């Protein structure tokens, strides 16, 4: 593409706004579902594709005084929940030293910086809605293209995977033939299963992309193409078979619809409760419909019965973790695994590994985030006119749902992964940008 002299001399923000596909936020989201593509290994860390895009974003911030100021302000705004969490990381850095998980605190710090970088370059953009849409759609498009290229080399394709899934509900083929082959293509392996972390990281990335894409729509405008895109996101999440992520996706839609209706005064608070009970009734109805003999319905019913090996294993982990906590309540017993897996819960993991003080710090960080989220949702409903950004506030409210939920059930001792930190810091960044915008308008 030919760049004019004026464009070449334009500030970085103008250049990225003109060439939105080269914007650091778009590049990060385009690479985020590709964390299973390992580029190299450095000092015990797997260097994956999204890290390069994140380094690009950090470089863009470092050479821009305006971006650096936004990033500094974002850190200050995030202090209530970041500060206790960082102190927690310092404690477990000592508790986990020399164990298999000793890299966890360093990785968490890098993920936090990555989220801050994403939030900073996002809110430094001139056209926020357009950027959110581009970043949101980049993730599924790049993921499907890359996986299709790999799948064709393996003798299959997305067409076959979609056909098998919708006609026979064959998640076994999708998981163990389609995705397993794709995720293991770079390795010389005949493993019969794929690591849950690989497909979960893809699902997390796609859910964050869905939330960003939906938030980027201008309030009040009809968006048929956006609705179709949401269906694409849901199909991909269904096929990835990541139960916790899919549940958060459903709750995100329900929450966004509820907040939107309340803000527009289409329903009263009493109506909101009625809507909630109606949703519960709808789920019950779906449970009755699920007695159908349809192959795909049977597959989904089995997956969401919560009576599988995964659920039983987590319950066993929780009992085991509580017994270890009772043995070493104050200082913790250090890192431990049950059947080769750490406990899938951030709070139990903190308590078990590093003791009471680490647990209290994690709880403090979590409660600070919950309080901020509840305050924001309440303000949206009570004072809908105070939202100043030209994007969908109800979908901004959905961004913390994934980090708030997955700390209870996720692998890696419940620590938020890269996609979750990006969602969390984007939420904080958009709230900060809204406040700065309102202050600027008030002064003028």
């Amino acid at each position: 593409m030919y760049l004019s002299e004026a464009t070449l001399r334009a500030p970085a923000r103008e250049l990225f706004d003109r060439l939105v596909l080269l914007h650091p936020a778009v590049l990060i989201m385009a690479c985020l579902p590709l964390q299973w593509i390992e580029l190299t290994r450095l000092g015990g860390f797997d260097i994956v594709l999204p890290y390069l895009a994140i380094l690009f974003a950090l470089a863009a911030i470092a050479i821009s005084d305006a971006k650096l100021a936004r990033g500094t302000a974002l850190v200050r705004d995030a202090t209530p929940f970041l500060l206790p969490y960082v102190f927690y990381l310092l404690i477990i850095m000592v508790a986990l030293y020399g164990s298999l998980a000793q890299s966890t605190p360093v990785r968490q710090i890098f993920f936090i910086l990555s989220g801050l970088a994403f939030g900073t370059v996002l809110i430094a953009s001139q056209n926020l809605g357009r950027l959110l849409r581009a970043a949101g759609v980049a993730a599924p498009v790049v993921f499907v293209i890359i996986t299709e290229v790999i799948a064709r080399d393996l003798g299959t394709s997305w067409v076959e995977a979609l056909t098998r899934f919708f006609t026979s509900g064959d998640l076994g083929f999708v998981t163990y033939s389609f995705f397993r082959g794709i995720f293991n293509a770079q390795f010389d392996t005949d493993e019969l299963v794929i690591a849950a972390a690989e497909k979960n990281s893809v699902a997390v990335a796609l859910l964050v992309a869905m939330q960003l894409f939906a938030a980027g729509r201008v309030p009040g405008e009809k968006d048929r193409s956006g609705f179709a895109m949401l269906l694409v996101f849901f199909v991909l999440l269904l096929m990835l078979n990541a139960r916790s992520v899919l549940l958060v996706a459903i709750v995100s839609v329900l929450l966004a619809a509820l907040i939107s209706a309340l803000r527009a005064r289409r329903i009263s608070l009493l109506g909101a409760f009625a809507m909630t009970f109606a949703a519960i009734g709808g789920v019950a109805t779906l449970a009755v419909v699920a007695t159908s003999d349809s192959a795909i319905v049977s597959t989904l019913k089995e997956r969401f019965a919560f009576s599988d090996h995964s659920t039983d294993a987590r319950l066993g982990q929780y009992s085991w973790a509580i017994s270890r906590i009772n043995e070493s309540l104050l200082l913790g017993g250090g890192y431990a695994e049950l059947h080769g897996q750490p406990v899938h819960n951030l709070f139990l993991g903190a308590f078990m590994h590093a003791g009471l003080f680490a647990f209290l710090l994690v709880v403090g960080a979590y409660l600070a985030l919950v309080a901020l989220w509840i305050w924001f949702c309440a303000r949206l409903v009570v004072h809908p006119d105070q939202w100043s950004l030209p994007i969908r506030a109800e979908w901004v409210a959905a961004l913390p749902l994934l980090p708030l939920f997955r700390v209870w059930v996720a692998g890696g001792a419940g620590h938020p992964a890269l996609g979750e930190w990006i969602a969390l810091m984007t939420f904080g960044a958009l709230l900060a940008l809204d406040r700065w915008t309102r202050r600027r308008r008030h002064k003028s």
Side-chain angles (χ1 to χ4, degrees), residues 126-148:
Q126 290 180 336
N127 193 332
L128 181 60
R130 176 171 172 248
L131 181 56
L132 286 171
R133 297 288 267 194
V137 80
V141 168
V142 171
F143 174 68
V144 169
I145 290 174
I146 295 297
T147 51
E148 177 66 11

Side-chain angles (χ1 to χ4, degrees), residues 325-350:
I325 289 169
N326 289 332
E327 293 172 2
S328 186
L329 191 67
L330 189 60
L331 298 178
Y335 183 73
E337 294 181 349
L338 179 66
H339 305 310
Q341 292 287 334
V343 63
H344 286 40
N345 184 290
L346 179 61
F347 308 102
L348 290 176

Side-chain angles (χ1 to χ4, degrees), residues 92-158:
I92 65 165
M93 194 173 292
V94 177
L96 301 182
Y97 182 76
S99 73
L100 295 174
Q102 66 176 353
S103 63
T104 296
V106 178
R107 185 177 288 107
Q108 282 291 293
I109 291 171
F110 177 71
F111 289 168
I112 292 172
L113 290 175
S114 301
L116 289 169
F118 183 85
T120 299
V121 296
L122 189 69
I123 60 178
S125 173
Q126 290 180 336
N127 193 332
L128 181 60
R130 176 171 172 248
L131 181 56
L132 286 171
R133 297 288 267 194
V137 80
V141 168
V142 171
F143 174 68
V144 169
I145 290 174
I146 295 297
T147 51
E148 177 66 11
V149 171
I150 297 173
R152 286 185 176 273
D153 285 342
L154 298 173
T156 183
S157 71
W158 270 100

Side-chain angles (χ1 to χ4, degrees), residues 80-81 84-85 88 345-348 350-351 355-371 404 407-408:
F81 63 86
Y85 192 82
Y88 155 74
N345 184 290
L346 179 61
F347 308 102
L348 290 176
F351 213 150
L356 179 61
F357 191 49
F359 169 74
L360 292 176
L361 285 170
V362 169
V363 170
Y366 189 84
L367 290 179
L369 177 59
V370 169
L404 285 173
V407 293
W408 297 91

